[in-house]
Amino acid sequence: MNPKIECRNISKVFIQKGKQRVHVLEDISLEVMHNEFLVILGPGQSGKTTLLRIIAGLETPTSGQVLVDGKEVTGPGQDRGLVFQSYMLFFWRTVMGNVEIGLKLRGVDKKKRREIAQHYINLVGLQGFEKHYPHQLSGGMKQRVGIARAYANNPEIMLLDEPFGQLDAQTRMFMEKETERIWQTEKKTVIFVTNNIDEAIYLGDRIVTLKDKLPGRMDAIYDVPLPRPREHTDLEFVKLRQEITDRSELVL
Amino acid sequence: MERSVANEVVKHVKEKKPWTVGRVLTNEYFLYVVSFFTFLIVWHYIAAAGLLGLATPEATLKEMVRLMSVRLAGKNLFGHAWASSRRIIIGFAIGAAAGLPLGLLMGLNKYINSIVKPVFDLFKPMPPIAWISISILWFGIGEPSKIFIIVIGSFVPCVLNAYSGIRIIDPELYDVIRVLGGNRRQEIFYVSFPAALPALFAGVQISMSVAWTCVLAAELVSSRSGLGWIIIRGMKLTKPELVLGGMAAIAVVAWLFSVAASGLEKVLCPWKRGIKEL
């Protein structure tokens, strides 16, 4: 079977202030299968976000290419949904207004888009909060809106950029469970970027690790064959955690 | 009342505490009243002692009540208040109608910004009242010259706030529209305008207060009507209660304008209202 997403030798160099060259990504090649949950695990400053933005079409790679269904990505598109690290909700719109925005941009009529948006608001567990504004919500609830907004646009691929980085540990674990539940309910091809090993093992079908320090390079790929839902205390879970930690310590 | 939403507990609590002396004394509304009455009492004693050439609060209030029925130069107090307000409404409307779109365009398009900014920066620090002579030269001493000053005065803060309202928008908010499949026009209509709206209102509020300064200056220089003219009239007749009455009337009307602007903002920016249900 052909991969859903294919990254071929992606490198990215940013030019800062006209002359400074910042090498962010170096020779990234990876494949993501249909409906696979791929986690990209890397420490801060390893170019994870840039990689995701390139796949989303918001940045162009300096060299290499991204293929979705065998076609080269030239810009952002409705087939790829993005969940932002800092939520990026429209503070002037209600929860409903935020979730339905993608449908509105495409000119879906009001009744239909309300119906679809309501479905995804319910899916992320925010029923009863449709008329609330983002500033009235907690961090976890805000990111639920972010996820519902991306889902409501019905993309084939979901890209999540450290979506729970700003949450406390408890809420984060709960949101990981929720992410799995939502993904199991409506399967998508997912690329999930994180710097948290537990989160990576809990969620990923496969984990791609990046080396620390710029430019980000591929380090290793781990299969996670554990059955879902996973337990953080499961022996296999802990073993894999140790394996990844040991390896990244060698790098350090 | 407690309910669990998405595993995050939301509590509805109404705080109810008994009224004690300490709570009354530290209540903010109580302190507002204390502050206001202290001001009136100090004012009264200074005026009654014949210091600083002031009229007492009572005399000022009586004079204002008298002016509501007695006509000065053909208009009672409301007539004069309307004369000033009318100038402000017209001048401000023209200034904002020109300034807000210009500021938005400067924020959205760097070429327009590069063309307009040098000239605008030249005029920006100039106090609007400096235009009085030129205004009279161009428009005579009638209404248009006063309105012109107000247009100039309200134009500048409108441009500045509309421009910065656009510039402070987080560029990632545009990415949201882009990844959802939107185009540049949709970025402007669904992000730029709504996100800049609070800044536009800040500009409107500042413009209003500048407009009041302008209208007074214009009326002090040449006029037969308006609240500024009442003050000049009081000065010429050496009637301190007339001067203070005019000042008090200005405070009241200017306050009403700012209340109206805040009210409009609450209607147009519902997300800025307080947390109601949580």
Side-chain angles (χ1 to χ4, degrees):
Chain A
M1 205 170 125
N2 289 325
K4 181 77 185 165
I5 309 168
E6 203 182 341
C7 297
R8 286 187 190 158
N9 314 98
I10 291 178
S11 297
K12 178 74 182 175
V13 179
F14 281 111
I15 312 280
Q16 263 182 357
K17 290 173 195 157
K19 44 184 179 243
Q20 246 178 308
R21 291 163 60 86
V22 186
H23 204 150
V24 182
L25 290 171
E26 173 71 42
D27 199 25
I28 305 283
S29 293
L30 53 89
E31 291 178 351
V32 190
M33 293 301 155
H34 192 68
N35 283 353
E36 185 182 23
F37 201 120
L38 182 85
V39 175
I40 297 176
L41 174 65
Q45 291 284 305
S46 59
K48 311 182 291 285
T49 297
T50 306
L51 178 58
L52 208 64
R53 287 175 61 87
I54 288 174
I55 297 169
L58 292 170
E59 307 276 357
T60 45
T62 311
S63 65
Q65 55 184 173
V66 178
L67 303 172
V68 172
D69 289 326
K71 270 180 260 159
E72 189 175 353
V73 165
T74 52
Q78 197 226 314
D79 57 337
R80 284 150 290 144
L82 181 58
V83 176
F84 294 78
Q85 184 178 3
S86 40
Y87 316 136
M88 286 300 141
L89 300 183
F90 294 159
F91 56 81
W92 56 92
R93 288 179 159 261
T94 59
V95 168
M96 174 59 82
N98 269 282
V99 175
E100 69 172 8
I101 184 72
L103 300 158
K104 196 168 179 177
L105 294 176
R106 278 190 281 132
V108 176
D109 72 81
K110 190 168 177 173
K111 189 167 168 284
K112 184 81 185 152
R113 67 173 190 254
R114 283 284 147 94
E115 200 180 297
I116 297 170
Q118 189 65 55
H119 169 79
Y120 288 100
I121 289 170
N122 295 350
L123 180 68
V124 300
L126 280 180
Q127 55 272 41
F129 283 81
E130 294 83 356
K131 293 200 172 99
H132 282 60
Y133 286 96
H135 74 99
Q136 299 170 302
L137 305 175
S138 70
M141 290 157 85
K142 280 184 186 145
Q143 198 56 291
R144 284 166 195 276
V145 179
I147 292 170
R149 178 174 66 185
Y151 253 88
N153 209 34
N154 196 25
E156 292 158 34
I157 298 164
M158 284 286 283
L159 308 167
L160 297 99
D161 182 14
E162 293 189 51
F164 311 133
Q166 296 186 21
L167 303 180
D168 59 87
Q170 289 290 322
T171 316
R172 187 172 189 151
M173 291 233 293
F174 181 73
M175 285 302 289
E176 288 161 14
K177 267 188 200 150
E178 284 288 280
T179 307
E180 187 182 27
R181 176 183 66 78
I182 294 165
W183 176 67
Q184 298 277 22
T185 319
E186 290 197 23
K187 281 268 169 102
K188 307 263 180 198
T189 307
V190 176
I191 300 184
F192 188 107
V193 162
T194 183
N195 56 15
N196 183 308
I197 297 181
D198 284 294
E199 191 167 87
I201 302 171
Y202 186 82
L203 290 170
D205 288 329
R206 264 192 316 149
I207 300 170
V208 174
T209 54
L210 296 182
K211 290 179 187 167
D212 68 329
K213 297 274 156 50
L214 294 179
R217 289 191 184 86
M218 303 256 297
D219 186 32
I221 297 177
Y222 301 89
D223 276 310
V224 189
L226 307 176
R228 295 171 190 272
R230 292 166 184 165
E231 276 300 327
H232 289 268
T233 47
D234 187 80
L235 188 60
E236 292 298 315
F237 193 108
V238 178
K239 268 189 191 162
L240 184 58
R241 190 182 195 290
Q242 195 59 45
E243 194 187 328
I244 298 175
T245 319
D246 286 347
R247 185 171 166 113
S248 26
E249 269 170 4
L250 285 177
V251 176
L252 288 168
Chain B
M1 191 168 72
E2 213 176 83
R3 61 179 169 147
S4 176
V5 184
N7 200 41
E8 287 157 52
V9 176
V10 182
K11 274 185 188 168
H12 293 249
V13 182
K14 263 227 169 80
E15 207 183 354
K16 267 190 186 153
K17 279 193 210 154
W19 286 94
T20 61
V21 179
R23 269 197 78 214
V24 172
L25 286 176
T26 53
N27 180 281
E28 66 179 321
Y29 296 103
F30 175 73
L31 292 174
Y32 291 167
V33 174
V34 169
S35 158
F36 185 66
F37 277 96
T38 311
F39 168 72
L40 286 182
I41 289 164
V42 170
W43 174 9
H44 174 85
Y45 279 103
I46 291 174
L51 297 168
L52 306 175
L54 291 177
T56 60
E58 305 93 282
T60 305
L61 193 64
K62 268 185 197 154
E63 180 68 11
M64 286 175 80
V65 172
R66 191 180 72 85
L67 285 176
M68 287 178 192
S69 48
V70 175
R71 284 164 189 270
L72 268 183
K75 285 190 174 78
N76 62 14
L77 187 62
F78 298 111
H80 286 292
W82 171 244
S84 295
S85 304
R86 189 174 159 272
R87 288 166 190 151
I88 286 190
I89 293 167
I90 297 172
F92 166 78
I94 298 171
L100 294 175
L102 181 66
L104 290 172
L105 283 174
M106 284 167 70
L108 290 169
N109 187 308
K110 61 178 176 181
Y111 301 111
I112 294 178
N113 187 40
S114 312
I115 292 167
V116 178
K117 206 169 185 297
V119 182
F120 180 72
D121 280 349
L122 195 68
F123 286 96
K124 188 173 69 179
M126 202 183 289
I129 298 158
W131 287 83
I132 282 189
S133 320
I134 291 189
S135 175
I136 292 175
L137 185 70
W138 288 350
F139 299 102
I141 52 164
E143 288 298 289
S145 67
K146 295 177 189 65
I147 289 169
F148 177 74
I149 302 289
I150 298 164
V151 171
I152 298 273
S154 44
F155 176 75
V156 174
C158 282
V159 173
L160 286 176
N161 280 276
Y163 173 76
S164 65
I166 295 286
R167 302 306 309 209
I168 57 167
I169 296 171
D170 189 332
E172 259 196 284
L173 283 171
Y174 295 117
D175 290 343
V176 174
I177 296 288
R178 293 178 64 204
V179 287
L180 290 171
N183 55 35
R184 175 72 183 144
R185 193 184 62 83
Q186 290 173 321
E187 285 175 35
I188 292 171
F189 279 95
Y190 290 105
V191 175
S192 305
F193 290 163
L197 205 52
L200 298 191
F201 271 103
V204 164
Q205 289 276 13
I206 298 167
S207 289
M208 290 271 212
S209 64
V210 175
W212 274 101
T213 318
C214 294
V215 81
L216 286 185
E219 287 172 357
L220 293 176
V221 172
S222 71
S223 184
R224 289 287 293 155
S225 64
L227 296 171
W229 177 79
I230 288 189
I231 294 174
I232 285 287
R233 180 87 179 158
M235 205 171 87
K236 284 186 179 151
L237 299 173
T238 345
K239 284 177 77 179
E241 65 273 21
L242 195 57
V243 173
L244 291 170
M247 288 168 67
I250 289 164
V252 171
V253 181
W255 176 74
L256 287 175
F257 268 70
S258 116
V259 167
S262 312
L264 189 65
E265 179 172 15
K266 274 194 185 128
V267 172
L268 291 177
C269 308
W271 64 90
K272 291 192 80 192
R273 272 178 243 159
I275 298 175
K276 264 188 190 149
E277 284 173 59
L278 264 173

